[in-house]
Amino acid sequence: ENFAREIMQLFTVGLVELNDDGTEQLDSSGRSIPVYNNNDITEYARLWTGFRRQQQRGNTEERERDANNIDPMSINKDWRDQFPKFGLGGKYVGDSYALCSELPSDSFL
């Protein structure tokens, strides 16, 4: 949950709703309107399941460090939460994207 909170707070939506000019949106009592609550954090944490550390690559990594700096994480499908995740704005995560089966045969994906 900490990772999901940090992603939302620092790298995506921030803490409070904003107007187009960057000022905080206020409710009828003059208080800032939060973008998300703890339920949203719990739900988004489910997106970040199934990751595991990858082993060090012998031909490219520093030998003194026991770390993989190129692709340090991989997804283990057996560890993933495979159920739909409810996102912000009253929609499930990914609802606005086309299914792979709906894309043209020569699309990027």
Side-chain angles (χ1 to χ4, degrees), residues 92-105 107-109:
Y92 284 97
V93 174
D95 269 358
S96 60
Y97 294 99
L99 299 175
C100 291
S101 61
E102 297 171 346
L103 296 173
S105 61
S107 71
F108 178 72
L109 295 175

Side-chain angles (χ1 to χ4, degrees), residues 6-79:
E6 294 296 323
I7 292 291
M8 289 194 294
Q9 181 178 341
L10 300 174
F11 301 110
T12 57
V13 294
L15 292 172
V16 296
E17 296 282 349
L18 299 176
N19 295 308
D20 289 338
D21 65 0
T23 59
E24 292 183 11
Q25 288 185 12
L26 305 175
D27 64 14
S28 60
S29 301
R31 292 183 295 239
S32 298
I33 302 170
V35 174
Y36 55 87
N37 59 36
N38 204 55
N39 292 335
D40 298 317
I41 293 166
T42 302
E43 193 72 9
Y44 272 88
R46 295 175 49 220
L47 293 169
W48 302 102
T49 60
F51 288 92
R52 66 175 172 195
R53 291 184 185 267
Q54 299 234 94
Q55 293 182 349
Q56 181 180 19
R57 293 174 173 262
N59 61 341
T60 60
E61 305 289 351
E62 299 175 26
R63 293 183 183 198
E64 293 84 35
R65 297 179 48 182
D66 186 27
N68 180 328
N69 297 317
I70 296 175
D71 53 355
M73 303 293 279
S74 67
I75 294 178
N76 181 333
K77 67 179 180 67
D78 296 328
W79 298 350

